Amino acid sequence: MGRTILIVDDSSLMLWTVNSTLHMAGFVVEKAEDGVVALNKLKGGLKPVLIITDINMPHMGGIELIQNVRAMPGLRFIPILAMTTESQAEKRAEGKKAGVTGWLVKPVEASQLLAVIKQVLPA
Amino acid sequence: MPVELTSECAVFSGVVGIDDAEAVLSWALKEPLATIDFSACTHLHSATLQVLMARKPGVKAWPADGDFAAWLKSVLVDI
Amino acid sequence: MNPMLEQFLFEARESVLSIGQLLMRLEVTPEDEEVMAVLFRIVHTLKGNSGLFDFPELPRVLHEAESLMDAVRHGEVAFSKDLADRLLEAMDFVGLLCDEIGAKGHLDASYAVQSARMAESLRSLLAEVEAPPEVAAAPRIVLSPEDARRLVAEMPLSAQDAASQGMRAGGEFNWLEYSPVDDCFFQGDDPFFQARGTPGLLWATIESSAPTLSLADMDLYRCCLVFRVWSIASRAELDTYYRFVPDQISVAAFPADCFAAPDVEPFAPDAEPVHAITIDDDSLGAGQGIDAAAEVSLPGPASGPAVAAVDDVADEGPASDLAGVLSLVEIQSAILRMPLDANGSLGRTAGVVATLRGCLRAIGFRAKLPELEAAAALAIREGTVDALVAWLGQAFLHEPPGPGPSSNKEHSIAPSGESLRALRPETAVAPSRSPMSGDSEMRFGRRAEDSSASSKTIKVDQAKIDRLMNLIGEMVVSKNALPYLAGRAEHVFGVRDLSREIKSQYAVINRIAEELQDAIMQVRMMPMSFVMQRFPRLVRDISRKLGKEVHLVLEGEDTEADKAIVEALGDPLVHIVRNSLDHGIELPDVRIAAGKPAAGTLQIRVRQIADRVHIDIRDDGKGIDPAVIKQKALEKGLIDEATFARITDQDALSLIFAPGFSTMDVVSELSGRGVGMDVVKTAVENVHGVISVESEKGKGTTLRVSLPLSLAVTNVMIVESAGQRFGVPLASIVETVRMRRSAIRLIKQSQITVLRNSIASVISLNQLLNLSEEQLINDDDELALLFVRHGDERVGLIVDEVVETSDIILKPMAGVLTGLAAYAGSALMGDGSVLMVLNVEGLLSCQ
């Protein structure tokens, strides 16, 4: 049983790159193009071990998604990585408050991605 | 299942996550004399670790991973 | 070269140029926020576009440039000439890369290294300022000598030994306290796991922050642990590792004299290394290897695009990017070391082997293939990856064959480390003078000023071409004076021979002038492919999003038209295409039910007919139902009951161009962003074009756009009224008719007539222009009428006489006259007279 990672990004290019890296590292990948789709998948019973989400997305952004996820009983403690290009402290503080575990800086390079996953996800 | 809880012994295996913490807590309250088998355990979530630190149970077997075992010994063995 | 890449390169060169200019402007006025905003946007766009192609060197450099510009924009980094230098240099490099790609179609491996270093040089500017607030938010604590000694004494002797050895070798020795916030579990943190992964971990303790830990009244989900860690990792490494929780750690460096007896070895060096939590380098590697491979802050050739391109590299043979391959190898190594999930392991190993095989082929190391296969076979037989990791270490990373996954972090994966360099000379020709070795004044092989002007295209200011265009226009008009002169020579002065000679000279000049005009217009011409090349991708993306299958057929992309027209056409065409996909072509199951093939066809056909370009956008979708359109128009108040009753189907279809009309109740995400077909129509008409729609319910819809080839020459109808001549653009004329005076009736205050069974209002030109004369009638008691378009109506303009059509060079009104909406401009005629050209829309609107 491969462990599932949910990635949420409105850029199909980004989904594709992250997907291929994670897939090569042996994870099962679920993709969602915005917060609403992601939330529906989670409400539909998807049990990922990790969520990686973009912050700026249409329909439902990353912060709102994270707030919703943290309110779901089974997902209160799931590690969530947020992808952003922004380095501003206030965005990070807001994210941390919503329950972000760690940050990935776009463009997300494969090595960075694997390292951060390694850091937040016990094998 | 990463956690098997019986009245005599708790067997932890693989990664024991935060979802198991509650069960471990009630087990720890119910079975004050039971011991733990860590031999197949690779990680213990902080929440579960806290419970074990408060309980200081007897350890039947330490983890195979020496470093992990050392961490656990440092908090679970009374000096 | 594919047109998209060609287009990108063209735009990239332009962007690089503008960036250079803007940077230089900023040097003069560093406070100019507008320039800054434009600059950032260009860099941002360029970076985004560069990511579409498989040249990771470009986005790598541009990404750093963008971050730097962003920091400048937000005032985090001050703009300086030095910074401008660096950015200009980076842009020169980008320009150089573009030239290389343009010339060779690929980039030599050496550029990967250069780009990595260029990126690093930019990043260093950012790091100088940003690093402190970004990472090092953890407070620095100074340990008193007593505290330091006490803390060191807490460690087992063996750990003390390792620390003192490390410090004597020039390494750091730090003490770190990690106090997770009590609700950290709700942020997905597992502090124990974090602490276990601390780099350079020598010794650690866990304490409870609560005075007593009691099971009975314990709050499970409130973290009450404090981790104290002794580490030989550098301060920077620790800060990077704990960058997600900088406010929860404090770090202090141990002073050099913290060891009780620094020179006395408590144990023999070969004493058995069994320590409590002391972790020697090897076993540390298991946890640290990947971290080290991947420190976010570490620059290096390992990059996302390279990984994404695994398949490409494996399939495509000769490598253009050695560093890319090496980074792939590193990632394979990292993947092998990732903790195993038993079921996936075989497949994963096989995948890694396949990638490595491709890598070897790509860099021409076929000789190593048998070794790889042997190691792979062993790995698969034994069910562990040790053999592969060992082989990788030997073959690529120049590390001694280690004990499997737990190998030495410094040597194995340090990006662009020694081991990588060892490979390089064999395959890539490095620049003769390595420009990088810690030299901040970087110089690449070529800078902008060195580049010879070898490009076959030259960039000319549009104003210069416009001037040429105007001059040739005047010449065309002036030469028309020659036939008049010939006529005068013959009739007035009676010299027939001279007249003939003037006429033959005129013929020569005329031919040259026409060719010249054509040549100059050619300069401004560009192929329609400029806007059409984005359609395949657009159609693909949109149809995927809508779940439709669409077959796109493009025809006549080579057809050329004036730059202004082609550019003005881009957005309207995109909108039409979106509309067709969104509202026209049905979902596959609907199509099958209707007896059509599942995939719809969208045809875009461009033809040149005489001096106009015709563009047909045809789909075989569900068509437009005139009844539905009529109903909607009525509901929205665009037409009244009377019109509703008698409007023809064709006229009903044209209602889709009416402002405020949208057939969809729910505004669709794709085409309904508040932009309707009326906007498309306006855009087309702005370049003197005409748009019409044909549709058959159930069969499909065709939108026809017709445009002049060039805006420079306008075709006008010359009319006479009150003894003066006026030009009316042919594009706005529907037809010219002679009508008996009695056919025009006065109803209330307005005149109307019936033309082809529909009513049109009629107005006299003299009246519109405030001329007191009556319009003339001919001998048959008929008036000359010019029916023109006004919005969706036809209006008859009564004139005295319709003379002829003529090509003119329209000059817009200048100075105070620009306010006259009734006139589009003036033109100089062949006989030297000036023709005033009417703007029909403006004229009728101001009545």
Side-chain angles (χ1 to χ4, degrees):
Chain A
M1 175 196 79
R3 299 189 299 162
T4 304
I5 294 182
L6 173 65
I7 50 180
V8 194
D9 198 315
D10 57 328
S11 150
S12 54
L13 192 68
M14 186 60 77
L15 283 180
W16 184 76
T17 5
V18 174
N19 177 29
S20 59
T21 308
L22 294 180
H23 191 74
M24 278 168 62
F27 290 102
V28 175
V29 179
E30 269 293 330
K31 290 174 279 191
E33 53 268 31
D34 59 48
V36 177
V37 177
L39 209 55
N40 282 338
K41 288 197 174 192
L42 292 170
K43 283 178 179 157
L46 181 70
K47 285 291 279 181
V49 292
L50 172 71
I51 297 173
I52 303 176
T53 178
D54 189 19
I55 288 297
N56 299 314
M57 290 180 295
H59 309 308
M60 184 193 284
I63 299 288
E64 200 187 334
L65 169 67
I66 293 164
Q67 285 164 345
N68 277 300
V69 167
R70 288 284 179 234
M72 294 172 72
L75 298 168
R76 281 179 298 173
F77 309 116
I78 187 175
I80 301 177
L81 298 176
M83 293 185 285
T84 175
T85 51
E86 295 157 58
S87 54
Q88 296 106 309
E90 65 264 34
K91 200 81 194 169
R92 301 221 165 182
E94 194 191 338
K96 197 77 196 165
K97 227 176 111 205
V100 169
T101 311
W103 296 90
L104 289 163
V105 181
K106 281 190 174 184
V108 179
E109 299 191 351
S111 49
Q112 179 204 357
L113 180 64
L114 294 179
V116 174
I117 291 178
K118 177 75 181 50
Q119 188 176 340
V120 298
L121 202 61
Chain B
M1 273 299 284
V3 183
E4 247 177 77
L5 304 166
T6 66
S7 56
E8 278 166 31
C9 180
V11 180
F12 288 7
S13 53
V15 176
V16 177
I18 191 167
D19 299 335
D20 303 307
E22 218 161 305
V24 172
L25 176 61
S26 52
W27 168 83
L29 286 166
K30 208 173 75 194
E31 310 287 351
L33 295 173
T35 57
I36 301 185
D37 179 353
F38 284 115
S39 56
C41 183
T42 55
H43 182 68
L44 202 57
H45 191 281
S46 307
T48 317
L49 180 70
Q50 286 180 167
V51 174
L52 298 185
M53 280 169 72
R55 161 76 151 60
K56 303 258 190 216
V59 175
K60 191 171 155 194
W62 293 104
D65 177 345
D67 306 330
F68 183 37
W71 276 100
L72 291 185
K73 282 176 189 166
S74 75
V75 288
L76 298 184
V77 176
D78 278 316
I79 305 162
Chain C
M1 193 182 306
N2 86 49
M4 197 150 132
L5 178 58
E6 213 168 342
Q7 179 67 25
F8 164 73
L9 290 177
F10 178 74
E11 282 177 13
R13 289 194 190 103
E14 296 219 316
S15 304
V16 165
L17 214 69
S18 334
I19 293 168
Q21 287 163 351
L22 291 171
L23 280 170
M24 287 181 270
R25 257 171 73 186
L26 271 186
E27 283 189 329
V28 184
T29 53
E31 302 302 319
D32 194 332
E33 284 179 9
E34 201 174 313
V35 174
M36 184 65 79
V38 174
L39 183 58
F40 178 77
R41 187 177 49 73
I42 298 178
V43 175
H44 179 79
T45 309
L46 184 57
K47 179 198 118 183
N49 290 342
S50 70
L52 293 174
F53 303 96
D54 204 7
F55 300 107
E57 291 84 353
L58 283 171
R60 189 179 296 155
V61 173
L62 288 167
H63 173 70
E64 297 305 335
E66 184 195 16
S67 312
L68 191 52
M69 286 314 308
D70 196 35
V72 174
R73 193 171 60 140
H74 288 110
E76 291 155 10
V77 175
F79 188 86
S80 65
K81 299 231 170 196
D82 193 36
L83 185 139
D85 278 352
R86 234 43 109 75
L87 281 168
L88 283 170
E89 203 161 43
M91 288 309 134
D92 287 352
F93 182 60
V94 170
L96 170 70
L97 291 181
C98 289
D99 290 354
E100 278 290 309
I101 296 170
K104 297 185 184 164
H106 66 89
L107 287 176
D108 288 339
S110 57
Y111 290 115
V113 190
Q114 291 192 18
S115 77
R117 284 172 181 159
M118 180 60 87
E120 172 57 17
S121 130
L122 291 175
R123 188 168 13 214
S124 68
L125 284 179
L126 199 55
E128 283 166 20
V129 187
E130 216 177 49
E134 176 78 10
V135 183
R140 274 164 203 277
I141 306 173
V142 178
L143 289 175
S144 71
E146 299 79 45
D147 286 344
R149 278 198 208 96
R150 191 175 45 75
L151 284 169
V152 167
E154 273 189 50
M155 291 200 296
L157 286 176
S158 50
Q160 292 183 26
D161 181 25
S164 76
Q165 271 184 21
M167 278 187 96
R168 262 176 287 144
E172 288 186 40
F173 181 31
N174 285 300
W175 185 77
L176 180 146
E177 190 174 86
Y178 173 26
S179 325
V181 290
D182 55 8
D183 62 349
C184 67
F185 298 161
F186 296 93
Q187 290 159 356
D189 281 343
D190 178 357
F192 181 31
F193 189 68
Q194 284 281 309
R196 281 183 66 187
T198 308
L201 185 70
L202 269 190
W203 174 252
T205 63
I206 309 173
E207 278 157 29
S208 165
S209 57
T212 51
L213 265 179
S214 141
L215 272 185
D217 52 18
M218 180 165 199
D219 183 350
L220 255 184
Y221 302 126
R222 202 146 277 279
C223 183
C224 58
L225 301 173
V226 176
F227 299 85
R228 298 158 78 227
V229 179
W230 288 252
S231 163
I232 52 167
S234 71
R235 164 88 201 194
E237 275 178 273
L238 293 172
D239 279 336
T240 306
Y241 180 77
Y242 283 100
R243 67 193 175 284
F244 302 145
V245 287
D247 49 330
Q248 299 169 30
I249 64 163
S250 45
V251 182
F254 280 105
D257 61 352
C258 61
F259 298 100
D263 293 327
V264 179
E265 301 289 346
F267 287 111
D270 57 350
E272 198 198 342
V274 179
H275 312 136
I277 302 187
T278 306
I279 297 167
D280 63 38
D281 230 7
D282 272 0
S283 58
L284 192 65
Q288 298 294 296
I290 298 166
D291 295 342
E295 288 301 9
V296 186
S297 62
L298 276 181
S303 71
V307 182
V310 166
D311 292 335
D312 299 353
V313 172
D315 293 340
E316 278 180 9
S320 51
D321 185 349
L322 178 62
V325 169
L326 285 173
S327 75
L328 270 180
V329 171
E330 283 166 13
I331 288 158
Q332 300 315 305
S333 170
I335 287 171
L336 284 179
R337 291 152 202 252
M338 283 292 279
L340 264 185
D341 174 11
N343 291 328
S345 71
L346 252 186
R348 195 179 73 180
T349 309
V352 167
V353 170
T355 308
L356 290 173
R357 213 178 277 142
C359 289
L360 284 179
R361 288 204 192 98
I363 57 172
F365 269 38
R366 283 166 195 280
K368 292 252 184 195
L369 276 173
E371 275 181 53
L372 168 66
E373 301 298 348
L378 191 65
I380 289 167
R381 199 165 52 238
E382 292 184 355
T384 81
V385 296
D386 292 2
L388 263 180
V389 172
W391 176 82
L392 259 181
Q394 272 180 307
F396 279 95
L397 310 168
H398 287 215
E399 65 180 281
S406 45
S407 55
N408 188 306
K409 62 167 177 147
E410 264 84 19
H411 301 299
S412 59
I413 342 196
S416 68
E418 296 299 316
S419 51
L420 305 186
R421 241 166 256 151
L423 251 178
R424 214 151 261 143
E426 300 176 51
T427 45
V429 183
S432 56
R433 168 179 164 253
S434 171
M436 293 317 146
S437 42
D439 184 355
S440 64
E441 282 285 300
M442 298 193 312
R443 288 289 177 267
F444 291 98
R446 215 177 98 188
R447 291 176 58 100
E449 60 260 36
D450 309 334
S451 64
S452 57
S454 61
S455 175
K456 277 191 208 106
T457 50
I458 55 167
K459 214 173 117 85
V460 181
D461 188 354
Q462 188 164 342
K464 289 182 181 170
I465 294 178
D466 289 345
R467 180 155 169 252
L468 270 179
M469 204 67 218
N470 284 336
L471 286 172
I472 186 63
E474 281 176 31
M475 181 165 163
V476 166
V477 172
S478 321
K479 78 167 178 359
N480 287 345
L482 287 176
Y484 287 95
L485 183 61
R488 272 164 64 86
E490 188 173 344
H491 299 119
V492 180
F493 302 101
V495 243
R496 181 173 287 230
D497 286 352
L498 182 61
S499 164
R500 227 186 358 256
E501 237 169 277
I502 293 174
K503 276 182 184 161
S504 70
Q505 287 300 320
Y506 167 74
V508 174
I509 295 172
N510 190 38
R511 181 175 53 78
I512 296 172
E514 277 177 4
E515 269 184 42
L516 194 56
Q517 185 176 19
D518 189 52
I520 295 169
M521 269 160 71
Q522 284 296 329
V523 174
R524 286 181 51 97
M525 293 289 210
M526 57 199 289
M528 285 296 297
S529 57
F530 178 79
V531 286
M532 287 168 78
Q533 65 184 358
R534 50 179 149 154
F535 287 149
R537 178 67 196 274
L538 182 80
V539 169
R540 185 194 148 276
D541 287 356
I542 295 176
S543 53
R544 274 177 63 94
K545 211 163 190 168
L546 295 171
K548 296 177 179 177
E549 288 173 43
V550 180
H551 179 53
L552 176 70
V553 182
L554 295 178
E555 270 178 54
E557 298 136 281
D558 312 340
T559 312
E560 291 193 324
D562 190 89
K563 182 171 187 278
I565 289 178
V566 173
E567 282 174 350
L569 213 52
D571 289 341
L573 278 186
V574 168
H575 194 77
I576 293 174
V577 167
R578 282 195 162 146
N579 249 311
S580 282
L581 295 175
D582 209 8
H583 306 309
I585 291 173
E586 314 92 325
L587 288 166
D589 46 342
V590 178
R591 291 182 60 89
I592 291 167
K596 297 187 196 178
T601 301
L602 180 67
Q603 187 189 41
I604 305 177
R605 188 164 165 219
V606 185
R607 286 165 302 163
Q608 182 185 340
I609 299 174
D611 58 351
R612 292 185 82 77
V613 182
H614 294 259
I615 304 163
D616 295 352
I617 301 107
R618 202 174 85 198
D619 67 58
D620 62 350
K622 64 179 177 224
I624 305 173
D625 186 347
V628 174
I629 302 287
K630 275 199 283 191
Q631 190 58 42
K632 285 278 169 201
L634 183 66
E635 282 166 18
K636 288 175 192 263
L638 296 170
I639 53 172
D640 54 27
E641 295 277 354
T643 318
F644 178 79
R646 56 154 210 273
I647 192 168
T648 63
D649 282 357
Q650 181 56 43
D651 288 347
L653 284 183
S654 301
L655 285 170
I656 63 167
F657 297 117
F661 187 89
S662 168
T663 49
M664 297 295 277
D665 287 328
V666 182
V667 174
S668 120
E669 184 204 340
L670 281 171
S671 44
R673 291 182 204 272
V675 185
M677 289 302 281
D678 58 319
V679 177
V680 171
K681 188 181 186 215
T682 312
V684 169
E685 284 175 349
N686 278 345
V687 286
H688 303 179
V690 182
I691 186 167
S692 64
V693 60
E694 286 167 26
S695 184
E696 194 175 339
K697 199 182 157 192
K699 292 271 179 63
T701 306
T702 303
L703 274 147
R704 293 185 197 282
V705 180
S706 157
L707 298 157
L709 273 185
S710 164
L711 289 178
V713 174
T714 311
N715 213 318
V716 292
M717 174 76 76
I718 297 174
V719 297
E720 269 182 9
S721 201
Q724 300 182 43
R725 287 188 163 198
F726 298 96
V728 181
L730 222 52
S732 50
I733 297 178
V734 185
E735 61 179 308
T736 57
V737 183
R738 279 205 168 267
M739 227 173 227
R740 297 190 79 86
R741 206 158 35 160
S742 56
I744 297 165
R745 298 185 202 137
L746 192 71
I747 294 182
K748 291 184 186 161
Q749 292 305 309
S750 50
Q751 304 177 82
I752 55 139
T753 188
V754 176
L755 180 74
R756 303 193 201 300
N757 293 328
S758 70
I759 296 171
S761 59
V762 170
I763 189 157
S764 105
L765 183 59
N766 286 352
Q767 193 185 326
L768 278 173
L769 294 174
N770 241 346
L771 301 169
S772 51
E773 284 94 335
E774 283 291 308
Q775 301 288 166
L776 300 178
I777 45 172
N778 69 0
D779 301 338
D780 297 329
D781 197 31
E782 286 172 336
L783 287 163
L785 273 92
L786 214 54
F787 281 89
V788 295
R789 258 182 226 95
H790 175 49
D792 290 322
E793 288 176 70
R794 285 175 300 180
V795 175
L797 278 183
I798 309 173
V799 297
D800 290 351
E801 190 63 68
V802 175
V803 185
E804 60 180 355
T805 63
S806 177
D807 283 348
I808 55 140
I809 309 280
L810 183 67
K811 298 215 170 183
M813 299 300 240
V816 287
L817 298 178
T818 45
L820 293 177
Y823 294 97
S826 63
L828 193 64
M829 301 307 287
D831 58 1
S833 63
V834 171
L835 180 75
M836 296 304 290
V837 179
L838 300 171
N839 172 3
V840 174
E841 282 287 320
L843 187 65
L844 292 171
S845 302
C846 63
Q847 64 174 295

